[in-house]
Amino acid sequence: MDRAQDNGSFFDKLSGLLHQPLTILILITGVLVAYLLKVQIKIGVPYWDVFNYLNNALHFANMGSNGVVNHLPPMIPVVTSLVFRMGYVSVDVIFIISGLIFILGVIGLYLLLKERFNPTKSLAGSLIFISLPVVMAWAVSGGIDLPGVVFSIWALYFLVIGLKKDSKFLFLVLPLLVVSLLTRYTAGLIVIPMIFYILANLNQVKEILHIKKVILGILIELGVLLAIFTYFILQLDTSALFGLFFDVVTSSSSGVEDVAYNSNFLYFLQNSLNYISLGPVQGTYRQLLNPSEGIPSILAYIIGIISVIGISSYIYRVLSTEKEDDISRANLANLGKIIVILVLFTGLVLSFYNKSLILSEILLLVLVYLLYRFMARGKFEMDSKLALDLMFISWFGAYFIFHGILPFKVDRYFITMAPAFTYFIILGLSQFIGELKPRIKGLNSKSGWVYLMVALICLSSATATYIGHTPQKTFTVDISNASEWIKGYDPSYSSKVIGSDYPNAVTWYLHQDTTGAYLKNYNNTVEFANYLHENGVYYYFDSNKSHPNLKGYRIIKTFGVVAIYEKTTP
């Protein structure tokens, strides 16, 4: 009898646990990540930079210095190298690490959203975030875009609860900020929403600063973290990083011949529907990684329209909260505020189109801060929500400005804006449903199910699209097979010069430096063949589908789209 009661109690607890939104979110995310990992491991590395991180990881693990790229952020390679040191050296390691970090990020986003919305809306928002094509496609790719965002999410979350609830959480903000910077350098832009949120909560900041232990602790922590950050930076070749930053700040167009060159300032805004949902189900893997090359689904239009209507309604509600008496007594003051905001906004637009990055970011920060000061009502709950809304506006705006001005644009850069983008989708949806509640009988009691239904439709659509777009493998698997084959074909391959148009991949698989050789950089195949000869290339790995005839070389083996050339003339 007691045993039966214990079993009943266990199942009751389990049932209660499953009703917790965070538990449901972790289960869904865990299952999805497991599936994504299965697919990613099967199809291989999706893009160039992942092999650079893998080669750098070998370097940090003291397993070789072939193909090291010193200017890349070190965090993901360092973490990957720890697993390599344990004896498991595989591309799968970086996929698994990405997946674990992604799960951590989804949890962090849920907790951050819950500071503004109820648990059900926060769950829906987190599922919508997962469903964004550009997020799902890159979730376990081994790239640094999502990990950089993940640590930024947690840094912001601890800042928010540190100022609102317990100042002890503020000790975690600086370490996470440094970690996010070392994961992806541009994650440093998260200081824009951080500075805004601190300014919007100056009263709490003043109270906290009266606690001497907090001040002393943060100062010590800051000194240690600056030392660690400086150490890492000194180990890196930051010339390329500073060169890119200089190009953006000075409006240089030195990368005009780069395939990713794009001067469209509104590129990410114009493709925003593609980032919500792609259609149809069948398509290419390239469209999955680069949603701008696909077409938005009907679901994207529906979500987009509802969000715009909801946010418009929300803005109207916020602006019309003043009592008529207050408005009539303060017409002149309100007019002055409107003029200031319009002048700042005009200055922001002009500086943005004039590629003045630093000025644009400063104007953005001033604009959102003054908006908060002008719109704050002195009511804690209302002002707290407003501060979070404007914090997310500054988050989206900071990265939108940077990547808009940046002369290189690829869709994965939108990942830096994805959490803020999701925030406004759920805000718009929440306001839209809120407006319908008085008009539709029973909606108030069932609105939670509406949010979950929308989120699950988005997740189902994204998963179906992912399945429809995902190939059996990518060409990097062919490079892996080709590399394994050459080891058996020529055991002394390591004594010969090897070239490739995907050198970092061949370097990883063969564990030796590979000469970069790109046919597109030459006028014809004769010039290209001469380059190979001049550099003593004995084997050449070509990853193009159309393999040209190269004078003095013959194709000895093909693997899918990859062909191996061998030198035939002295």
Side-chain angles (χ1 to χ4, degrees):
M1 184 70 177
D2 291 339
R3 189 180 184 87
Q5 287 178 345
D6 288 343
N7 287 336
S9 176
F10 169 77
F11 286 112
D12 287 341
K13 290 178 180 178
L14 181 62
S15 177
L17 191 65
L18 291 174
H19 280 85
Q20 297 298 316
L22 182 56
T23 304
I24 295 171
L25 177 63
I26 293 172
L27 288 173
I28 292 174
T29 308
V31 171
L32 180 65
V33 166
Y35 169 72
L36 293 176
L37 280 172
K38 179 184 176 182
V39 173
Q40 197 71 64
I41 290 170
K42 183 179 180 181
I43 67 177
V45 175
Y47 81 118
W48 178 282
D49 283 350
V50 175
F51 285 110
N52 289 331
Y53 306 140
L54 288 166
N55 289 326
N56 282 9
L58 284 177
H59 171 65
F60 286 121
N62 293 321
M63 295 180 178
S65 297
N66 299 312
V68 173
V69 183
N70 287 324
H71 66 267
L72 293 177
M75 186 55 65
I76 295 302
V78 166
V79 175
T80 305
S81 73
L82 298 178
V83 181
F84 287 178
R85 287 176 182 269
M86 297 176 190
Y88 184 52
V89 181
S90 169
V91 295
D92 301 348
V93 173
I94 202 167
F95 297 153
I96 294 169
I97 289 172
S98 296
L100 293 174
I101 292 175
F102 179 66
I103 294 173
L104 185 66
V106 173
I107 294 171
L109 181 61
Y110 169 82
L111 295 174
L112 186 54
L113 290 176
K114 203 156 74 73
E115 292 301 309
R116 174 64 170 81
F117 306 106
N118 65 34
T120 304
K121 294 177 185 178
S122 301
L123 171 62
S126 301
L127 292 177
I128 290 172
F129 172 74
I130 296 171
S131 305
L132 299 181
V134 75
V135 171
M136 183 175 286
W138 294 97
V140 298
S141 66
I144 61 174
D145 301 274
L146 265 169
V149 167
V150 168
F151 297 122
S152 297
I153 288 172
W154 279 98
L156 264 181
Y157 173 66
F158 285 127
L159 176 67
V160 171
I161 64 171
L163 291 176
K164 288 175 62 177
K165 298 176 181 178
D166 189 340
S167 62
K168 291 178 182 177
F169 287 106
L170 293 176
F171 289 115
L172 297 172
V173 175
L174 281 173
L176 283 164
L177 179 59
V178 171
V179 169
S180 63
L181 274 167
L182 293 174
T183 302
R184 191 177 190 271
Y185 296 133
T186 55
L189 287 170
I190 203 67
V191 298
I192 301 293
M194 280 184 165
I195 292 171
F196 162 74
Y197 197 77
I198 290 170
L199 292 174
N201 291 272
L202 280 178
N203 290 333
Q204 288 93 322
V205 173
K206 289 175 182 178
E207 290 178 12
I208 291 169
L209 290 180
H210 285 304
I211 307 172
K212 293 181 180 179
K213 289 182 179 179
V214 174
I215 300 174
L216 181 61
I218 291 177
L219 287 175
I220 293 172
E221 183 181 69
L222 181 61
V224 173
L225 290 172
L226 280 175
I228 294 172
F229 185 75
T230 302
Y231 170 78
F232 272 109
I233 291 298
L234 290 175
Q235 303 304 308
L236 303 172
D237 176 11
T238 54
S239 58
L241 173 67
F242 289 126
L244 175 60
F245 181 77
F246 181 79
D247 286 346
V248 176
V249 173
T250 59
S251 308
S252 172
S253 300
S254 58
V256 70
E257 295 180 359
D258 192 283
V259 292
Y261 178 80
N262 191 318
S263 60
N264 182 2
F265 291 93
L266 303 179
Y267 175 85
F268 295 103
L269 185 62
Q270 291 173 358
N271 290 299
S272 56
L273 287 175
N274 298 62
Y275 300 137
I276 296 175
S277 176
L278 279 177
V281 173
Q282 294 297 322
T284 66
Y285 186 51
R286 183 176 175 84
Q287 290 173 339
L288 195 63
L289 296 175
N290 303 280
S292 63
E293 297 183 11
I295 57 173
S297 67
I298 294 175
L299 180 62
Y301 284 100
I302 294 172
I303 296 292
I305 291 170
I306 289 175
S307 298
V308 170
I309 293 174
I311 291 172
S312 299
S313 172
Y314 171 73
I315 293 172
Y316 173 76
R317 294 284 184 184
V318 170
L319 294 178
S320 61
T321 52
E322 287 274 16
K323 294 180 181 179
E324 289 186 10
D325 292 342
D326 295 333
I327 293 174
S328 61
R329 286 198 303 265
N331 274 333
L332 189 58
N334 289 334
L335 179 61
K337 293 176 182 178
I338 292 171
I339 291 173
V340 169
I341 295 301
L342 288 176
V343 168
L344 283 171
F345 182 74
T346 302
L348 174 59
V349 172
L350 291 174
S351 64
F352 175 63
Y353 278 100
N354 279 286
K355 303 181 184 180
S356 301
L357 175 63
I358 296 176
L359 179 60
S360 296
E361 298 289 5
I362 292 173
L363 287 173
L364 171 69
L365 180 58
V366 173
L367 180 61
V368 291
Y369 176 68
L370 288 182
L371 277 172
Y372 176 77
R373 301 313 306 176
F374 292 163
M375 297 167 67
R377 300 289 181 257
K379 298 178 180 178
F380 178 76
E381 185 177 352
M382 184 183 296
D383 290 350
S384 178
K385 290 181 178 180
L386 178 63
L388 286 169
D389 295 339
L390 291 172
M391 182 187 78
F392 275 96
I393 285 178
S394 61
W395 181 344
F396 185 89
Y399 284 100
F400 182 81
I401 288 169
F402 177 80
H403 288 299
I405 293 175
L406 191 72
F408 312 103
K409 294 177 180 66
V410 291
D411 288 331
R412 61 186 171 85
Y413 292 166
F414 186 79
I415 292 171
T416 59
M417 303 169 235
F421 187 66
T422 304
Y423 180 92
F424 290 108
I425 288 177
I426 201 66
L427 177 62
L429 183 62
S430 174
Q431 187 66 28
F432 183 82
I433 293 175
E435 295 290 343
L436 292 180
K437 282 181 181 179
R439 298 173 174 81
I440 300 178
K441 187 178 179 180
L443 180 59
N444 191 43
S445 60
K446 298 177 181 178
S447 61
W449 290 105
V450 175
Y451 293 111
L452 292 180
M453 183 178 69
V454 171
L456 291 174
I457 289 173
C458 289
L459 186 61
S460 301
S461 174
T463 305
T465 303
Y466 182 87
I467 294 170
H469 285 61
T470 306
Q472 293 299 308
K473 62 180 177 64
T474 65
F475 71 94
T476 57
V477 174
D478 296 331
I479 295 177
S480 173
N481 294 333
S483 299
E484 287 302 312
W485 181 86
I486 202 70
K487 294 176 183 177
Y489 175 77
D490 183 359
S492 62
Y493 72 91
S494 59
S495 64
K496 297 179 174 67
V497 177
I498 296 176
S500 176
D501 61 346
Y502 219 84
N504 48 357
V506 179
T507 295
W508 161 256
Y509 289 116
L510 294 182
H511 300 293
Q512 75 173 66
D513 281 319
T514 303
T515 301
Y518 313 97
L519 177 59
K520 64 181 182 179
N521 293 340
Y522 297 86
N523 294 321
N524 51 58
T525 57
V526 174
E527 286 185 9
F528 182 61
N530 288 337
Y531 169 80
L532 296 178
H533 279 285
E534 290 169 3
N535 286 272
V537 174
Y538 193 84
Y539 293 114
Y540 176 68
F541 287 63
D542 179 44
S543 66
N544 289 310
K545 290 183 180 179
S546 56
H547 308 298
N549 291 321
L550 297 177
K551 184 180 178 182
Y553 290 87
R554 66 185 179 95
I555 295 177
I556 55 174
K557 191 69 175 178
T558 58
F559 292 87
V561 300
V562 174
I564 303 176
Y565 290 77
E566 183 180 26
K567 190 176 182 181
T568 59
T569 59

